[in-house]
Amino acid sequence: MSSQWDRKDALAMLQCRRRRSARALSPLCSVSMRPDLTITTIKQDPYTMSKGSQMEGYCMDLLSELAKKLDFKYNVHLVKDGFYGRQDETGAWNGMIGEVVRKEADLAIAPLTLTAAREKVVGMTKPFMQTGISILLRKDISEEAGIFDFLTPFSVETWVGILAAYLGTAISICVVARLSPCEWSQPQTEENSFTFSHSLWYTAGALTLQGAGPHPKALSGRIICCTWWLFGLVLLACYFSNLSTSQGSDSNQLMVKGFEDLANQQGIEYGTLSGSSTLAFFKNSNNPTYRRIYEHMERAKSFVSSMDEGVRRAKEGNFAFIGESVSLDLVVARHCELVRVHEVIGMRGYSIAGTLGSPMLKNLSVAILELSEAGELAYLRSKWWASSCMADAAKASPLQPHSLKGMFLVLALGLGLGVLLAVLELTTKSRSNAREQRKSYCTVLSDELSQRLKTPATNKKRSQETADKDKA
Ligand code: GLU
């Protein structure tokens, strides 16, 4: 059938060229000559799925776009043996590749990986999707929670920043409470309630929403407190939201974080799709870790016959399914109890396979590139990969200082404004005192400053002396 079509295709193209017909890339130029192609595919979410007697999915949409572009008709059937395509010891191919080799199908449109071995026996187009190999497992197969896991919502730099902000605020409150005459009107007789230790206590109480009075009376001190309260609120909100996300979906806590961990443990069984290109990757690899993984899978015969079976076994627990990351991402998005490790190896692409040497393949490759450049492939990807637990699957990472920079900036502005106001309050009071006492403004101000900035002990001694003098 395919060879028949090849001849027809070539002839029609020749005629089209001669007549300088409209579509240069189309294999055929008139509707009456539209070829009827036999397409083989495999059932896999979201590439090809049954919808009543019809089929739908990413690959079906891609096929219809290509048919529109290249002007062909098609009949789709599911691959008879349910395999992608692997060569046995006798050199025969099974699966979709086998059907194309035996010319039972003109094209195979599926998440079919482009490999060197396949490229030798069939023609393959430019990839329409890129992927790699990764591991799927249940979220709860994780390491025991660490003692300091409560610190994970923020990065080390952020914690250091928070500590600096805390100390800076406590110092500012302490300084402002001393400088401001509205806060501390009688430095000679009155004790300042905002000692450094009380300022530290007050700031910590506000951060943990516990409160620790007395509160500042002056506007300058109140501005600092308000900014600190705001900072504390935002900080706590970020902390709790990141804490729940990191405990819910972060794969950092997984016992198996990559292929090295998988190869080095015995507790979790693992396997891949039988007859798949993923299995061939491990079999042909020279990397000792990947070889160990292959040898283990061969020994344990831990292969699964379909992606669905792999997902089912991973959901049951104690089984890690090794598959292609793009497909695993969809599974993770649909089954929230599953997670994919971050490590991705063996980058590869999905291509359409056709009869070796078919002129149609060149046109298909061009059409795929055109669809990619026009954003059609990205649109199809978002259409079929949208899911209910995508938000959950978003990776939670410790918040870095730059993500909280607005919050730190507001606090710094608040502290600056508070200190400025306290200085203003002091200078205004010194000016009016200087006018009243007919002294120079600078003398009054320096007197005020020396009184206010003296240590509490000196102030106490001084007030004692004043009291004794009064008594005498
Ligand atoms: N896309 C693969 C193939 O073409 C099947 C899935 C897998 O290898 O995990 O063989």
Side-chain angles (χ1 to χ4, degrees), residues 84 111-113 118 272-273 275-279 322-324 348 350:
Y84 285 82
L112 193 63
T113 310
R118 288 172 179 172
T272 181
L273 205 60
S276 66
S277 61
T278 302
L279 179 62
I322 304 176
E324 285 167 322
R348 66 258 307 279
Y350 291 152

Side-chain angles (χ1 to χ4, degrees), residues 1 5 37 54-55 57 61 73 83 106 123 139 173 181 185 221 226 254 318 335 340 372 374 400 407 422 450 464:
M1 157 157 204
W5 179 74
L37 303 185
Q54 301 287 308
M55 279 191 258
D61 282 359
K73 290 191 283 178
F83 289 111
D106 298 308
K139 266 182 198 169
I173 292 183
S185 52
C226 284
L254 289 175
N318 224 35
H335 305 270
R340 173 175 81 69
S372 168
Q400 297 294 332
M407 199 175 82
S450 67
Q464 189 63 45

